[in-house]
Amino acid sequence: MKAQLSRRDWFKSSLALTAGLTLSPMFVDKLFAGPVSAAERFQWGINPYSANGNIRLNANENPYGPSEKVKQAIIENMHESNRYPFQALSELKKMIADKEGVDTDHIHMGAGSGEILCEAGVAFGLDNGEILSGFPTFTEMMDYAKVFNAKWDKVNLNDKLEFDYGAMASRVNSKTKLVFICNPNNPTGTLVDPSIVSPFCQDISKKTLVYSDEAYLEFLEPEMQKRVSNIELVKKGMNVVVSRTFSKIHGLAGLRIGYIVAKPDLIKKISQYQMGIPISQHAIAAAKASLGDNEFMTLSRTKNTEARGHLEGYLKQKGFSYGKSHTNFMFFLAPKEGKAILSGMQQKNILMRIWDYKNKEWCRVSIGTLDEMKQFTQAFDEVIA
Ligand SMILES: Cc1ncc(COP(=O)(O)O)c(C=O)c1O
C-alpha cells in the first residue's frame, strides 16, 4: 500500500464499506457498538434487542438529556434546515476554541467523537501502522484502523482495572504510530491520577502521537476536570490530541457531534479523512446551546453520582469485584454465566453489556436514573439467584 491513502482511495474504500463489499455483516456489527463477548454474540444472535420500552443501561447515555435549553434551540433552528451549516459550524468552532483557550485551527469537529477516532485510526494506522492502547478500552479507533491493515497492540489493565501507564510506556517502540489513552476509561470507569498520566503523555509524545480520549471527563467535579484533562499539553504544542464529545454529559448522543483539540498539522492530517460535512444544523444548534448550560451539566453530574452510589452500594453489599467508577457506568465481575445474565435481564426489559477479559466475564452497566438503578439491582438479584 502507498505511504498515504489518497482521498480517491479513501472514497473508494468508503463506498465499498457502504455497499457492504469489503465488510461482512459481523464486522459491521463489531464496529458499531457490536458484541464484545461470546455471551453477547450468542444472546443478540438468538434474540436481538430493541431499544424500545427497555431500560437502556447498555450505551452510557445520559438519561436526563437533552436539556430544555437544547430542545428549544433545536426548535428555533428548524427553519435553517434548508441551509448548509458552514456558517453555524464556524461559529460553534469559535465557541469551542474560546472555551478551550486555543485558536480555531486547533479544532476539528465530527459527527460524534467516534467519527474522528475512525479518521485518526486511518491517518495513523495505514500501512501496518501500530496503535497501542490499554485493554479493555473503547475500541472504535482500533477496530476501524484494522480495516486499513493497522496493527493493534494491547496492554492489559492493572489489578485495579486502570490503564497501566508503566507497562504501556515500555511497550512503545519505533513502529508505534499512535498511543490511545482513555481517562476515565470505558468500559471500566476507572481514573488514573494526572500525576501519572501527564508525565506519561509528555514523555511518550516526544516519540509518537498520544490520543487522549476524554469522553467522560465532565462527570468529574470541575476542579478535577481541569487537573485531569490533557488540554494544557496541546496548548504547549505537544504531539497530543484531546478528544471530547457532546454525547455524554451533554446528553446529545442521538444528534452525533464531538470534537478534537490538537495543533494544526495534526488537525489537517486527521481531518483529511472526513467524508464531506457530516454535522447537521440541528446538532450544531444543540451543541451551541449546551456549551453554556452549566446548570444541566451540574444536574446530570449530581444525579449520576447519586444513582451510581446506589449501584456501588449494591455491589459492595454483594461482595462483587468492581472498578472504582468516575463515570456514568460501572464494570464488575459477572457473578453468573454472562449468557444467563443477558437473557435474564433482557426478559426483564433491562439492557446491559457483558465483556470478555482475562478469561472471565464482566458486566458493564450504565447509570440510569435512581429509579432505573433500583429496578436494575432488584432484577439483577433475581436473575443471579
Ligand atoms: C471513551 C469513548 N470515546 C468515544 C465515544 C464515542 O462517542 P460519540 O461518537 O458518541 O462521541 C464513546 C462512546 O461511548 C466512548 O465511550
Side-chain angles (χ1 to χ4, degrees), residues 252-271:
L252 301 178
L255 281 174
R256 315 302 303 124
I257 185 158
Y259 63 94
I260 56 167
V261 189
K263 47 184 186 165
D265 59 319
L266 289 172
I267 294 287
K268 218 168 155 190
K269 177 162 175 161
I270 293 170
S271 64

Side-chain angles (χ1 to χ4, degrees), residues 59-60 112-115 117 138 140 182 186 213 215-216 245 247-248 256-257:
N60 303 344
S113 61
E115 191 215 347
L117 286 168
F138 187 68
E140 191 166 1
C182 192
N186 180 11
D213 188 325
Y216 299 96
T245 179
S247 298
K248 306 299 174 185
R256 315 302 303 124
I257 185 158

Side-chain angles (χ1 to χ4, degrees), residues 106 108 116-117 120 124 141 178-181 201 205 208-214 229-231 233-234 238-244 259-263 265-267 269-270:
H106 283 60
H108 169 52
I116 312 175
L117 286 168
F124 290 88
M141 171 190 284
L178 183 154
V179 176
F180 176 82
I181 64 171
C201 293
S205 66
T208 188
L209 177 71
V210 178
Y211 199 102
S212 175
D213 188 325
E214 300 182 358
S229 175
N230 284 313
I231 201 90
L233 306 186
V234 174
M238 292 186 190
N239 204 18
V240 173
V241 173
V242 162
S243 169
R244 299 272 179 74
Y259 63 94
I260 56 167
V261 189
K263 47 184 186 165
D265 59 319
L266 289 172
I267 294 287
K269 177 162 175 161
I270 293 170

Side-chain angles (χ1 to χ4, degrees), residues 337-356:
E337 199 195 16
K339 275 194 280 193
I341 292 180
L342 279 183
S343 113
M345 294 303 282
Q346 207 169 334
Q347 276 164 32
K348 291 176 181 293
N349 299 323
I350 298 180
L351 305 178
M352 56 173 285
R353 305 291 305 269
I354 295 286
W355 246 261
D356 285 337

Side-chain angles (χ1 to χ4, degrees), residues 363-378:
C363 301
R364 194 200 68 186
V365 178
S366 305
I367 307 299
T369 62
L370 181 57
D371 189 46
E372 286 174 335
M373 297 325 287
K374 286 181 180 164
Q375 291 183 60
F376 170 84
T377 48
Q378 191 182 339

